[in-house]
Amino acid sequence: MNITRRHFLIGLSIAAIPGLSMAQNHGDHGSGHNGVHNSGHANHSNQDMGHDAHSNHTPGMSHGTKVGREGRPQDVKQTIQINMHDQNKFMPNRVEVKAGETVRFFVRNMGQNKHEFVIGSQQELHKHAQMMKQDPNMAHKDPNMISLKPRQRGGVVWHFDKPGTYYFGCLQPGHLDEGMIGTIEVK
Amino acid sequence: MMHTQISRRHLLRSAMAGTAAVGLSPWVNSAWANPKITQLGHAPTLSGTEIDLVVDETLVNMSGKDRMAVTINGSLPAPTLRFREGDTVTIRVTNRLQQDTSIHWHGIILPFNMDGVPGVSFPGIKPGKTFTYEFTLEQSGTYWYHSHSGMQEQQGMYGAMIVEPAMPEPIEFDREHVIMLSDWTDENPHRIVEKLKIKGHYYNRNEPTVFDFFKDVKELGFGGAMQKREMWNQMRMSPTDLADISGYTYQYLTNGTPQKANWTGLFKAGETVRLRYINSAAASFFDVRIPGLKMTVVQADGQNVEPVEVDEFRFGPGETYDVLVTPVKEAYTLFAQSIDRSGFARGTLATQMGMSADVPEMDPVQWLETQDMMGAMNHGAHGGHAGHDMGGDTMDHSAHEMAANTQTDHSAHGAHDAHAGHTMAENPLAKPSQQVRHSKHEYGASVDMRVDTPRTNLDDPGIGLRNNGRRVLTYADLRTLGGPLDPRKPEREIELHLTGNMHRYVWSIDGVEYGKSEPIPFQFGERIRVILHNDTMMTHPMHLHGMWSELESPDGEFLVRKHTISVQPAQRVSFLVTADALGRWVWHCHIMYHMDTGMFREVVVS
Ligand SMILES: [Cu+2]
Ligand SMILES: [Cu+2]
């Protein structure tokens, strides 16, 4: 099958695209128990595990945030879909959330480039974007973010305690500067 | 290019008989005066972004008897639709039947009201009416389409749909053929259901006889033979329940043509040929091979996979595999035996028409083995029993208690209990739960069997293919290129049991037939793990509409993205779904007779 083998080299190289590493499960704590048959696992609660607890899992560095905390899927009251485009913009780029509520951001990468959805303050996002510029291949993964390859979809479940204006941005080098940032009005 | 001369001739004769054909068909109500003749084996290709399809009854003659088929544009299979990824297509479907019809685009991601399931997606297409489907193709690969109304799929209403990738494809080939395998019956499919309800084993002629019993006595001694009989009787099952409808009513078709027509696809020596295998049977699993050729599997259910070289693969109704072959001889047989070895579909790959290669003997019928009935129960005790028969020495008395066994001793199986003391760093949903949770409805008359110790390994090719000396594809071999569609781990887990009562011929999910069931709720945007646990002795190809099913290993590692997942007897598998498609969808076994009698659920994403 030599001929066929050769034909496959292209295919294999696609499989080897970096980014698969994002699918690793460290630091992935969101776990619901609201199944049809409830999961028989011990009833872990992640209420008390702020994102800070994750920092030691992240080999690169943490892009965590002080804005709110990770939410539990079973507490989700509202789901907001956000699409990411190669023009380096989010659609929509402004959303409203009630203080004290848990929200699921359901994020889709509509483009051909890698994009990210990261929750934080404006300052945090800019600082993290700067770090990413210096080390674009830095592995990063925190509960306040999702990194998506072309066509992938994913989500972030987040709980906002206090009213205020917060942000979501893409930390891929250059994207934030070109306007890939949106606001979350918490009322 | 493709010839079906024998059936052509039959058809001509039928046509000349003219009106005499009317009334010959016991299961068609329409009053056609001049029945049109079905074109077999030459599905025309339709491409572009606007397509017209007409559903009608047309005449076929598969076995010497004139019958009416339900066809699209007079062709069986229906026209091959060729689209381009990214295109928005408009497909007008006109119904010339005297009953409602519908078309479901199998494996295609689209808005729920375009999905074509009457009563769920839309009301269906009334006689004389035209329904216009419109959707944008956001995927590429080999797919198919078929009726979702009554028994029309069994009667011939299915065709291939190929979506060309927008970006250059990693698969290179010089030539391609669609190989659509299906089953055909001259009987009225509705009558088949009635017969099955009267006696579940109606078509299973491999049932053991008194002669088998005496043979067993000779081999196992009287006690062993008795024990074997008794066990089967206790379970009210037949040891050869592999397919409930068999070659005794079916003919197996290659691109709509029976064996004798020897459908032939051409190639030039040295070419790499892509074969797009589609199982569009109503009820048959096929074991596919091409003696003398290795097949390199490059796509599963339309999704590119890391290439795997095999000699053979099994697939169930709804599944597709694309394989590459590099033929060098003049002719090869495309051989596909049904899972119960009651017959086979045959075609030929040749350098010119009219050639043929040897057709192999079918493999012997095998009885279900212990692992097919009790899952992993005997693991360890008899170690490496993969090749075991239901011989007396492997018999375990616990089998007798299987049906009566209640949820007593489950704690022992709860491997996850060990997690209790773990730190928060370990996600309790990182791996699929192994604790078996039978629904309370599984203790009613609709269920005649429950499996408490399922097997979770995916590297078993299944009954009849184990240790056959050939390299047989298994789900454990499949890896979708590029990884999962959603990098998240599951947020929750649901467990569904595939259940049935063979003798009453009812099939269900969690012991509840569709008519009595409530829709399964998904929350928009969530990532869910679905565990399918098979409490029956048959393999069920489970098809979820509207959303991909991403199969994982027992350790929770992503394997392959599919639209139809076959779950073997006593097996427990799991996959992840992202609920990214709002609306009403369905989830069902793609064996029409199981779907029709209850193994069907609605899923609502809101
Ligand atoms: Cu971006
Ligand atoms: Cu089934």
Side-chain angles (χ1 to χ4, degrees):
Chain A
M1 296 298 291
N2 283 332
I3 296 170
T4 335
R5 279 281 158 89
R6 179 160 34 83
H7 288 163
F8 274 119
L9 286 174
I10 311 169
L12 284 168
S13 62
I14 285 185
I17 282 176
L20 276 173
S21 59
M22 299 312 295
Q24 280 160 14
N25 59 0
H26 64 252
D28 203 348
H29 296 232
S31 56
H33 292 277
N34 51 353
V36 169
H37 302 281
N38 237 320
S39 159
H41 298 292
N43 200 10
H44 295 260
S45 157
N46 52 10
Q47 289 279 34
D48 52 336
M49 7 180 296
H51 49 275
D52 290 336
H54 294 262
S55 41
N56 52 348
H57 298 298
T58 312
M61 67 197 57
S62 170
H63 287 169
T65 176
K66 305 283 182 211
V67 171
R69 59 180 157 83
E70 185 181 4
R72 300 190 309 167
Q74 63 267 45
D75 297 333
V76 168
K77 288 280 185 299
Q78 189 191 0
T79 296
I80 298 171
Q81 183 172 333
I82 293 181
N83 293 339
M84 307 194 291
H85 297 269
D86 280 350
Q87 293 77 27
N88 290 338
K89 62 179 185 193
F90 290 106
M91 294 277 279
N93 61 2
R94 187 182 180 282
V95 300
E96 271 186 33
V97 175
K98 273 199 203 123
E101 270 190 10
T102 299
V103 183
R104 173 184 281 107
F105 294 97
F106 177 58
V107 188
R108 296 181 73 137
N109 184 347
M110 313 301 280
Q112 306 296 326
N113 301 324
K114 184 177 170 182
H115 292 291
E116 294 175 334
F117 171 91
V118 187
I119 296 172
S121 68
Q122 206 162 19
Q123 199 190 1
E124 286 168 334
L125 291 177
H126 280 286
K127 194 178 92 192
H128 294 152
Q130 204 56 40
M131 292 179 193
M132 287 290 286
K133 264 188 202 164
Q134 278 150 24
D135 183 5
N137 296 320
M138 173 203 306
H140 62 161
K141 180 169 166 63
D142 286 282
N144 63 317
M145 66 171 293
I146 184 105
S147 199
L148 298 174
K149 292 190 287 180
R151 289 159 174 246
Q152 274 192 324
R153 55 219 64 180
V156 171
V157 175
W158 206 251
H159 182 91
F160 294 95
D161 300 302
K162 294 182 208 125
T165 301
Y166 309 112
Y167 295 85
F168 53 94
C170 176
L171 300 187
Q172 285 297 295
H175 292 199
L176 196 70
D177 298 340
E178 289 180 32
M180 198 157 181
I181 188 164
T183 54
I184 306 166
E185 295 292 346
V186 180
K187 299 202 164 154
Chain B
M1 186 165 73
M2 307 144 189
H3 283 218
T4 52
Q5 292 182 340
I6 294 171
S7 20
R8 279 274 161 118
R9 221 177 312 121
H10 274 291
L11 288 171
L12 282 177
R13 224 184 299 134
S14 324
M16 282 186 281
T19 52
V22 180
L24 276 180
S25 165
W27 44 267
V28 177
N29 304 317
S30 95
W32 15 258
N34 280 308
K36 276 175 274 172
I37 296 168
T38 309
Q39 170 169 302
L40 296 180
H42 298 253
T45 297
L46 303 179
S47 53
T49 55
E50 297 211 14
I51 303 281
D52 284 286
L53 300 178
V54 177
V55 184
D56 204 352
E57 286 174 338
T58 55
L59 195 65
V60 293
N61 189 316
M62 297 289 183
S63 58
K65 293 177 193 146
D66 286 327
R67 286 291 183 267
M68 293 307 283
V70 178
T71 58
I72 297 174
N73 293 10
S75 177
L76 198 169
T80 297
L81 308 183
R82 256 186 194 272
F83 296 132
R84 260 201 105 71
E85 183 182 5
D87 280 356
T88 298
V89 295
T90 303
I91 308 169
R92 286 174 292 267
V93 180
T94 299
N95 183 6
R96 294 226 180 107
L97 305 174
Q98 297 195 340
Q99 50 184 275
D100 286 14
T101 193
S102 59
I103 291 182
H104 165 62
W105 317 96
H106 187 109
I108 301 294
I109 300 301
L110 37 60
F112 88 94
N113 57 351
M114 293 289 132
D115 195 46
V117 181
V120 178
S121 336
F122 76 143
I125 311 172
K126 300 280 172 224
K129 298 286 186 237
T130 298
F131 182 82
T132 303
Y133 289 90
E134 191 177 288
F135 48 88
T136 301
L137 294 156
E138 56 171 73
Q139 67 203 102
S140 63
T142 301
Y143 301 92
W144 65 295
Y145 63 105
H146 59 82
S147 169
H148 227 287
S149 299
M151 292 289 164
Q152 293 164 4
E153 186 191 330
Q154 173 77 84
Q155 294 165 269
M157 197 170 151
Y158 42 79
M161 182 199 255
I162 295 164
V163 186
E164 302 283 0
M167 311 275 271
E169 178 150 74
I171 306 165
E172 285 182 23
F173 52 93
D174 303 304
R175 185 192 285 266
E176 63 174 279
H177 293 292
V178 169
I179 311 288
M180 197 160 212
L181 303 179
S182 61
D183 44 29
W184 171 266
T185 173
D186 278 346
E187 289 187 83
N188 177 344
H190 296 284
R191 177 79 185 111
I192 291 177
V193 177
E194 286 164 27
K195 283 187 194 167
L196 287 164
K197 283 213 173 282
I198 294 162
K199 187 174 183 302
H201 308 297
Y202 189 89
Y203 293 97
N204 185 349
R205 303 291 169 85
N206 292 323
E207 267 187 285
T209 62
V210 67
F211 300 103
D212 294 323
F213 180 71
F214 287 123
K215 186 166 154 273
D216 288 343
V217 170
K218 210 167 138 201
E219 285 169 15
L220 307 171
F222 189 73
M226 277 303 285
Q227 196 181 48
K228 189 163 159 180
R229 270 328 91 131
E230 190 190 348
M231 195 193 85
W232 287 113
N233 287 339
Q234 288 257 336
M235 296 192 298
R236 306 166 72 211
M237 299 293 284
S238 158
T240 52
D241 275 332
L242 298 169
D244 34 21
I245 311 158
S246 75
Y248 289 96
T249 187
Y250 275 154
Q251 286 192 77
Y252 301 106
L253 309 181
T254 302
N255 287 335
T257 62
Q259 277 173 26
K260 59 179 187 244
N262 192 22
W263 180 91
T264 299
L266 295 178
F267 69 91
K268 289 203 188 83
E271 284 182 331
T272 296
V273 184
R274 177 181 191 162
L275 301 175
R276 300 178 186 263
Y277 271 101
I278 300 169
N279 186 338
S280 58
S284 307
F285 277 76
F286 290 106
D287 293 341
V288 174
R289 63 194 153 105
I290 310 172
L293 278 183
K294 294 276 184 197
M295 300 184 282
T296 305
V297 179
V298 293
Q299 219 175 62
D301 289 7
Q303 302 290 290
N304 292 337
V305 295
E306 287 179 27
V308 197
E309 194 178 88
V310 299
D311 297 313
E312 186 168 23
F313 65 84
R314 167 173 291 175
F315 70 159
E319 293 184 286
T320 76
Y321 285 110
D322 285 38
V323 303
L324 298 185
V325 294
T326 312
V328 291
K329 291 192 298 178
E330 289 185 324
Y332 298 85
T333 295
L334 303 169
F335 187 68
Q337 44 186 345
S338 74
I339 189 174
D340 63 351
R341 309 294 181 248
S342 66
F344 59 90
R346 175 224 180 172
T348 295
L349 210 53
T351 52
Q352 50 182 298
M353 300 310 297
M355 304 187 74
S356 62
D358 287 347
V359 178
E361 290 285 308
M362 281 196 291
D363 291 330
V365 175
Q366 286 186 9
W367 281 23
L368 290 171
E369 299 174 23
T370 325
Q371 72 222 60
D372 299 309
M373 298 172 290
M374 290 170 283
M377 185 173 272
N378 283 350
H379 265 297
H382 297 279
H385 57 79
H388 278 195
D389 216 341
M390 279 309 300
D393 64 326
T394 60
M395 191 67 54
D396 187 326
H397 275 282
S398 52
H400 295 274
E401 285 133 39
M402 184 164 57
N405 201 355
T406 51
Q407 294 162 304
T408 45
D409 196 25
H410 285 175
S411 54
H413 307 295
H416 57 277
D417 287 351
H419 290 262
H422 278 201
T423 62
M424 302 307 281
E426 187 153 338
N427 181 347
L429 290 172
K431 292 182 182 182
S433 160
Q434 290 184 27
Q435 184 177 5
V436 175
R437 288 160 286 187
H438 295 297
S439 149
K440 63 178 192 296
H441 300 292
E442 279 197 65
Y443 298 87
S446 294
V447 177
D448 60 7
M449 167 179 166
R450 285 177 299 278
V451 174
D452 287 335
T453 54
R455 54 207 177 102
T456 55
N457 59 310
L458 296 171
D459 58 358
D460 175 11
I463 178 78
L465 294 179
R466 295 171 189 140
N467 306 317
N468 67 4
R470 303 187 288 263
R471 171 73 170 88
V472 186
L473 182 78
T474 68
Y475 280 174
D477 294 319
L478 297 170
R479 296 283 180 289
T480 299
L481 293 182
L485 210 50
D486 185 333
R488 287 179 291 173
K489 287 286 169 187
E491 298 173 338
R492 68 181 173 111
E493 186 172 278
I494 65 174
E495 179 172 334
L496 297 172
H497 286 223
L498 310 177
T499 48
N501 182 320
M502 198 75 180
H503 275 239
R504 294 178 54 216
Y505 208 79
V506 286
W507 298 94
S508 52
I509 292 174
D510 279 348
V512 182
E513 294 133 56
Y514 173 56
K516 300 170 188 160
S517 71
E518 294 286 322
I520 298 168
F522 282 3
Q523 195 180 75
F524 178 70
E526 71 174 336
R527 182 84 164 150
I528 308 158
R529 168 180 287 130
V530 178
I531 295 174
L532 292 181
H533 175 113
N534 189 346
D535 281 326
T536 77
M537 283 195 213
M538 298 193 67
T539 306
H540 302 283
M542 298 301 295
H543 174 46
L544 171 63
H545 289 215
M547 290 156 277
W548 287 107
S549 303
E550 299 199 313
L551 188 73
E552 60 181 356
S553 75
D555 290 328
E557 295 295 323
F558 170 78
L559 292 177
V560 59
R561 182 154 61 248
K562 295 191 96 252
H563 48 58
T564 308
I565 291 181
S566 288
V567 191
Q568 294 182 26
Q571 195 182 37
R572 182 178 170 96
V573 306
S574 62
F575 56 88
L576 304 190
V577 177
T578 295
D580 54 7
L582 286 166
R584 297 173 66 192
W585 303 100
V586 298
W587 196 345
H588 62 88
C589 176
H590 222 278
I591 293 176
M592 285 201 73
Y593 301 90
H594 294 185
M595 173 174 93
D596 194 64
T597 58
M599 199 177 268
F600 185 99
R601 275 291 169 95
E602 183 175 336
V603 173
V604 176
V605 181
S606 60

